[in-house]
Amino acid sequence: MVEITRKQREIQQRTQDILRVAKPILLSEGFQALTMDRVAASMQYAKGTIYNHFPNKEEIVLALAIEAMRLRHKLFDKAAAGQRSARIRLMTIGVACEFYTQSCPEEFQVEQWMRNSNIWGKSSPDRQAVIRECEAGCMQIVASLVRESLAQGDLPAIEHLSPEEMVFGLWAITFGSQILTASSPSLHSIGIFDPIRSTRIHCCRLLNGFGWQPLHSIDEYLGTVEQISAEFYPQFKQIQREHR
Amino acid sequence: MVEITRKQREIQQRTQDILRVAKPILLSEGFQALTMDRVAASMQYAKGTIYNHFPNKEEIVLALAIEAMRLRHKLFDKAAAGQRSARIRLMTIGVACEFYTQSCPEEFQVEQWMRNSNIWGKSSPDRQAVIRECEAGCMQIVASLVRESLAQGDLPAIEHLSPEEMVFGLWAITFGSQILTASSPSLHSIGIFDPIRSTRIHCCRLLNGFGWQPLHSIDEYLGTVEQISAEFYPQFKQIQREHR
DNA sequence: GCATTTTTTGACGCCCCGTCAATAATTGAC
DNA sequence: GTCAATTATTGACGGGGCGTCAAAAAATGC
């Protein structure tokens, strides 16, 4: 059943190779520059062979997006594991998001591309389903932390606001901040010089606002986030500098 | 100085005509389907003539984005005018955002397209500058409401959080929610059935969290938002037509 | 070793982009 | 009203990407 012939393995390997070739082209020169001819030429295969693996270039982008979201999912999983309080583990997920966006900017970029309706619309339902599962999976990790805290009494039930809606709020502010940071050229001119710090503060206020115990002062929160960051992603600062 | 020859007027008019032709193509069939040949054929002009107006199709998209953002700016302006408290006027801007996204989905869509680096990167610095000004202008409207409230004492200065950062938070959560609503297929499956209501609640909690007087209970807030909505946008369709 | 199946190939048809020399229209001087 | 100069329009063209498919090559199995 898990029998895989050599041939099949070779084919799977080549699918990977195609992605490895396509990714730098996509990320450094954009979607336009990613052409099937070029991918084929880079690998010394004929174009038709590439088409045996991906029916169009949009599918390549979606395949890369799936890899990106799997990475995100893995980071979320690691962050949500462990013995600490749900609130701390939730903060760790927040740090994971920062880490992801900052030190895997390519994956983050691909996720944005995937949201582009041109690409989404042309890709196969199968891959779309994988993406959806992955996204839902990430949300479920957060949601289960919320439910855990509710069950343990750290987090009071809030009238008018379901646990899922709390997740939605956290997600929206994190995601919204990151998108704006990445694509709003006017941010700096309006006086936002450190969007990451701003985002952290808003998340802290949101969590405190939910009444999620133990409440943190901003200074505590920022300090704890720094600790988590240093602990989980010791290489982060370095990478951060690399990417300026 | 404001002398405009008939010829110039005709040319300006045709630029508009091109946008009127391009918009439905773009919105109903996507960026792929928007080809210069097709635009030209639709208007019974030669392709070269279209190129006299726009050096490439990305510029057409950006020109449409400028129209969209001007509309957004106008809505913000109207919302921020009037004699009511700054907090109410801010809420009115929130309603304006909802209105914009809901009843001008095409404009909202074009704004997203514009953020796509493929399009942004290929367009002219002039149009990019207009977009930036427009975006900064929208933010300034919000920022000045914040500053007004600070000056009047309705809104306490918050340690660690500048007025601009408050704007950033509001912007991020509103924008983030809307993007997610528009492009996250898993929202429904995770249990978010009324994202607009959720977003309103989060905004209310954010404003209350800032200590922005007078504080609203969720019920009050939702009620007030409904009132504003009914007052400013009594007839959804009519306003939509105005800007066609 | 040979027939059958699978895989690879790359030329092909189609379409789009953006250009530009040729053509048409407009202008303004006389 | 005429005509030369200026300006605007045209559409054929070169370059290139997409996706296909019949033919060639390779692998398989008997």
Side-chain angles (χ1 to χ4, degrees):
Chain A
M1 56 172 77
V2 199
E3 283 298 315
I4 294 181
T5 66
R6 176 180 57 79
K7 198 75 206 172
Q8 284 174 306
R9 233 182 308 115
E10 280 174 13
I11 288 178
Q12 285 184 359
Q13 180 56 51
R14 196 167 47 204
T15 300
Q16 284 307 306
D17 293 343
I18 291 172
L19 295 179
R20 294 292 75 73
V21 165
K23 194 170 175 179
I25 296 176
L26 182 66
L27 289 162
S28 62
E29 300 176 59
F31 185 67
Q32 315 285 348
L34 180 66
T35 72
M36 293 304 228
D37 289 274
R38 188 168 163 185
V39 170
S42 299
M43 305 179 66
Q44 283 146 302
Y45 278 110
K47 191 165 40 163
T49 302
I50 310 299
Y51 275 93
N52 282 348
H53 294 264
F54 297 99
N56 53 54
K57 55 183 199 152
E58 284 80 5
E59 287 280 301
I60 295 183
V61 177
L62 223 65
L64 288 171
I66 288 173
E67 288 190 347
M69 295 202 67
R70 291 227 165 102
L71 170 57
R72 180 188 282 275
H73 196 287
K74 205 189 296 177
L75 290 176
F76 274 41
D77 256 339
K78 278 188 195 159
Q83 301 304 316
R84 287 190 250 202
S85 74
R87 195 192 209 265
I88 292 287
R89 282 181 282 147
L90 184 72
M91 286 166 62
T92 309
I93 289 180
V95 174
C97 281
E98 290 175 10
F99 173 76
Y100 181 77
T101 305
Q102 289 263 297
S103 47
C104 314
E106 304 171 340
E107 279 76 7
F108 183 68
Q109 176 71 262
V110 169
E111 283 186 358
Q112 303 329 119
W113 256 312
M114 163 205 90
R115 295 191 115 79
N116 178 356
S117 57
N118 287 323
I119 292 172
W120 184 261
K122 265 200 146 189
S123 57
S124 74
D126 286 0
R127 284 207 165 82
Q128 290 177 6
V130 174
I131 296 268
R132 266 193 293 263
E133 277 167 33
C134 224
E135 190 177 68
C138 285
M139 291 206 61
Q140 284 304 342
I141 292 172
V142 180
S144 58
L145 288 180
V146 170
R147 280 192 287 266
E148 183 185 324
S149 281
L150 279 168
Q152 300 215 322
D154 294 337
L155 175 61
I158 296 181
E159 200 187 0
H160 296 113
L161 205 64
S162 70
E164 287 76 18
E165 288 175 308
M166 290 187 200
V167 177
F168 180 63
L170 288 164
W171 191 21
I173 203 160
T174 306
F175 182 72
S177 297
Q178 290 181 342
I179 297 279
L180 289 176
T181 303
S183 76
S184 266
S186 55
L187 255 196
H188 201 271
S189 79
I190 199 228
I192 308 295
F193 302 112
D194 189 349
I196 293 179
R197 183 175 163 282
S198 301
T199 308
R200 289 177 180 177
I201 292 175
H202 284 297
C203 282
C204 172
R205 298 180 62 91
L206 207 57
L207 296 183
N208 284 349
F210 290 154
W212 199 324
Q213 302 299 324
L215 303 186
H216 284 162
S217 74
I218 299 292
D219 282 330
E220 278 174 317
Y221 188 92
L222 294 178
T224 307
V225 166
E226 282 301 336
Q227 275 173 28
I228 294 170
S229 186
E231 178 181 344
F232 273 73
Y233 311 107
Q235 74 279 31
F236 191 12
K237 282 251 156 11
Q238 192 185 345
I239 293 172
Q240 203 166 6
R241 244 174 250 130
E242 267 170 37
H243 288 286
R244 192 152 319 113
Chain B
M1 53 176 73
V2 200
E3 282 299 314
I4 294 180
T5 65
R6 176 181 55 81
K7 199 73 206 173
Q8 285 174 305
R9 233 182 310 115
E10 281 175 14
I11 287 178
Q12 285 184 359
Q13 179 57 51
R14 197 168 45 205
T15 299
Q16 284 305 308
D17 293 343
I18 292 172
L19 294 179
R20 295 291 75 73
V21 166
K23 193 170 173 179
I25 297 176
L26 181 66
L27 289 162
S28 63
E29 300 176 59
F31 184 67
Q32 315 284 349
L34 180 66
T35 72
M36 293 305 228
D37 290 273
R38 187 167 164 186
V39 170
S42 298
M43 305 180 67
Q44 284 147 306
Y45 279 109
K47 191 166 37 164
T49 302
I50 310 299
Y51 276 93
N52 283 347
H53 294 264
F54 296 98
N56 53 56
K57 55 185 201 151
E58 284 80 4
E59 288 281 300
I60 295 182
V61 178
L62 224 65
L64 287 171
I66 288 173
E67 287 188 348
M69 295 204 65
R70 290 228 164 101
L71 169 59
R72 180 187 281 274
H73 196 288
K74 204 190 294 179
L75 290 175
F76 274 41
D77 256 339
K78 277 186 194 161
Q83 301 303 314
R84 288 190 249 200
S85 74
R87 195 191 208 266
I88 293 289
R89 281 180 282 147
L90 185 73
M91 287 165 62
T92 310
I93 289 180
V95 174
C97 282
E98 290 176 9
F99 173 77
Y100 181 77
T101 304
Q102 287 263 295
S103 49
C104 313
E106 304 170 339
E107 280 75 9
F108 183 69
Q109 174 74 262
V110 170
E111 282 186 357
Q112 303 329 121
W113 256 311
M114 165 204 88
R115 295 189 115 80
N116 178 357
S117 57
N118 288 323
I119 291 172
W120 184 262
K122 264 200 148 191
S123 57
S124 72
D126 286 0
R127 282 207 166 82
Q128 290 178 5
V130 174
I131 297 267
R132 266 194 294 262
E133 278 167 33
C134 225
E135 190 178 67
C138 286
M139 291 206 62
Q140 284 305 341
I141 291 171
V142 180
S144 57
L145 287 180
V146 171
R147 280 192 288 266
E148 183 186 324
S149 280
L150 279 169
Q152 298 214 324
D154 294 339
L155 175 61
I158 296 182
E159 201 186 1
H160 296 111
L161 204 65
S162 71
E164 286 75 18
E165 287 176 308
M166 291 186 197
V167 177
F168 180 62
L170 288 164
W171 191 21
I173 203 160
T174 307
F175 182 71
S177 298
Q178 290 182 342
I179 297 280
L180 289 176
T181 305
S183 75
S184 267
S186 55
L187 255 195
H188 200 271
S189 79
I190 199 231
I192 307 296
F193 302 112
D194 189 350
I196 293 178
R197 182 175 163 280
S198 300
T199 309
R200 288 177 181 178
I201 292 175
H202 284 297
C203 283
C204 172
R205 297 179 64 91
L206 208 57
L207 296 183
N208 284 349
F210 291 153
W212 199 325
Q213 302 298 324
L215 303 186
H216 284 160
S217 75
I218 299 292
D219 282 330
E220 278 174 316
Y221 188 92
L222 293 178
T224 307
V225 166
E226 282 301 335
Q227 274 174 27
I228 293 170
S229 187
E231 179 181 343
F232 272 73
Y233 310 107
Q235 278 161 5
F236 175 100
K237 289 208 163 137
Q238 194 180 344
I239 293 174
Q240 202 171 9
R241 254 177 237 128
E242 235 175 68
H243 292 287
R244 277 278 151 106

